[in-house]
Structures are given as C-alpha cells and as structure tokens.
C-alpha cells in the first residue's frame, strides 16, 4: 500500500494515498481499533446535508468564497450519492462529542474539494468546511437529521405498507367466521 504524509498538531502520520481522509481520521482509525462496528452511513449522509448548508450560509455571510462553497456543495452531493462511502472508516466507539467523525467528514470534503478546485484555492478542513461549527453541536444535529431521514425513508413507508397489508387481510377474511377469544 502506498502512503502520503499528513501533518496535524501532533505531527506527521502516514495516510493511505488513495483515501480522502486526513491525519485526524487516520489517528482515530489507529487509536480506536476496538470493534468492527462502523459509523452508520445514515449519519455520514446527515453530516453531508449539514456541511452543505453551513457552506451556503458561510458564503452568504461573506466568510467563504464562491469557489470554495461550490466545491464543498458538490462534494456533499457526491457523498449523498454514495460515491465516497469507503472514505468513512471510523468505529462507532469514539469520544462522546463525535469529534473524529466530524473531522473525518471535514477531511474528506476538504481533500475531494481541493481536487475539484485544481489548486485555484485551498479548502482547509477546519477553517473552511468546519467554519463556525463545533462537534458538540454538529454531532447531535447530524443524529437528528439521520433519524428524521430514516423515519421518512424507511419507517413511514413500512408503516404505510403494514397498514395496507392489514386492510387487505381485513377484506380477505371478512366473511370468515371465527370464535371469539380473549
């Protein structure tokens, strides 16, 4: 496997060359090898919605250039399409605030966004993607978005199908005489 060297406040770390994540994600992968349970993609997709909205608002406030906003928005859309699922490898077992997952999403958006910008500008995972955000706020927000989406996409249709099935059975067995039971 080939690696690239990423740097953060703790120093250098080797990151697989073919991955969009950075130093903080790699440190989490190495430090939290305690399970096989990965962070659910529903949460990652919720984070993509959140980061996309934050980029749009930060641009409207004059804090983020048009080019950076458009690159971040495009990457978030690509994440929502499932294009980069393999770039979110972290365990569910991490700190309570979800900082590692927040940073994993920031790093993937930053690295892929920089590819899209072709060195015209540079998107920084903290300064640009995570602008005006805190893991203590984004993680619970992403959880709420993920739950809402799961309700709308899976629970509500399943309940509608159950209701329709029970209605069909009611009609199908309407003339069947049964003894009453308590």
């Amino acid at each position: 496997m080939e690696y690239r060297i990423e740097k953060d406040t703790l120093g250098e770390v080797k990151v697989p060359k073919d991955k969009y994540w950075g130093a903080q994600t790699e440190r989490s992968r190495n430090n939290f090898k305690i399970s096989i349970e990965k962070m659910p993609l529903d949460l990652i997709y919720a984070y993509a919605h959140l980061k996309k909205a934050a980029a749009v608002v930060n641009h409207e406030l004059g804090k983020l250039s048009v080019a950076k906003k458009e690159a971040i928005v495009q990457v978030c859309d690509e994440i929502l399409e499932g294009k980069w699922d393999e770039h979110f490898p972290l365990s569910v077992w991490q700190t309570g605030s979800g900082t590692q997952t927040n940073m994993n999403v920031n790093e993937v958006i930053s690295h892929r966004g920089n590819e899209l910008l072709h060195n015209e500008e540079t998107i920084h995972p903290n300064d640009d993607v995570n602008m005006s955000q805190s893991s203590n706020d984004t993680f619970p927000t992403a959880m709420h978005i993920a739950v809402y989406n799961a309700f709308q996409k899976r629970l509500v249709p399943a309940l509608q199908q159950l209701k329709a099935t029970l209605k069909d059975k009611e009609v199908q067995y309407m003339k069947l005489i049964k003894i009453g039971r308590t």
Side-chain angles (χ1 to χ4, degrees):
M1 180 178 288
E2 292 185 44
Y3 295 91
R4 68 180 189 275
I5 300 298
E6 289 277 333
K7 296 177 184 176
D8 63 9
T9 56
L10 297 176
E12 294 182 348
V13 64
K14 287 171 43 174
V15 176
K17 201 172 194 168
D18 64 335
K19 302 301 180 199
Y20 283 127
W21 67 72
Q24 290 193 36
T25 301
E26 190 62 25
R27 289 190 195 287
S28 181
R29 275 182 5 113
N30 292 327
N31 293 330
F32 292 93
K33 292 182 181 182
I34 60 173
S35 75
I36 59 169
E37 297 94 1
K38 301 295 179 204
M39 196 57 67
L41 287 173
D42 285 344
L43 184 71
I44 301 302
Y45 298 156
Y47 252 113
H49 284 292
L50 187 149
K51 298 295 179 178
K52 180 178 177 178
V56 169
V57 169
N58 283 323
H59 168 70
E60 288 172 0
L61 294 172
K63 307 238 178 237
L64 199 62
S65 73
V66 173
K68 287 182 180 184
K69 179 209 53 153
E70 289 177 356
I72 291 170
V73 166
Q74 181 175 335
V75 176
C76 290
D77 287 342
E78 291 173 358
I79 290 169
L80 290 167
E81 292 169 10
K83 282 182 147 182
W84 310 118
D85 291 355
E86 72 183 70
H87 297 270
F88 301 100
L90 298 185
S91 169
V92 296
W93 304 104
Q94 52 186 264
T95 64
S97 65
T99 300
Q100 292 92 339
T101 296
N102 185 38
M103 283 309 301
N104 180 205
V105 174
N106 292 335
E107 289 173 341
V108 170
I109 292 170
S110 170
H111 282 92
R112 173 65 181 135
N114 285 329
E115 254 183 12
L116 296 172
L117 289 176
H118 307 290
N119 296 322
E120 293 169 23
E121 290 188 65
T122 302
I123 297 173
H124 190 276
N126 279 327
D127 298 340
D128 297 317
V129 183
N130 201 53
M131 183 185 295
S132 304
Q133 300 164 49
S134 162
S135 298
N136 287 325
D137 296 325
T138 60
F139 196 80
T141 299
M143 286 192 302
H144 286 101
I145 293 168
V147 168
Y148 175 81
N149 286 340
F151 269 57
Q152 295 302 313
K153 292 178 184 173
R154 291 196 288 276
L155 181 61
V156 170
L159 290 173
Q160 289 170 335
Q161 179 62 45
L162 176 62
K163 180 180 174 184
T165 300
L166 291 173
K167 190 69 175 165
D168 289 345
K169 295 299 178 191
E170 174 189 9
V171 171
Q172 181 181 354
Y173 294 109
M174 185 182 298
K175 294 184 181 183
L176 182 66
I177 299 172
K178 293 180 68 175
I179 59 172
R181 297 185 183 189
T182 58

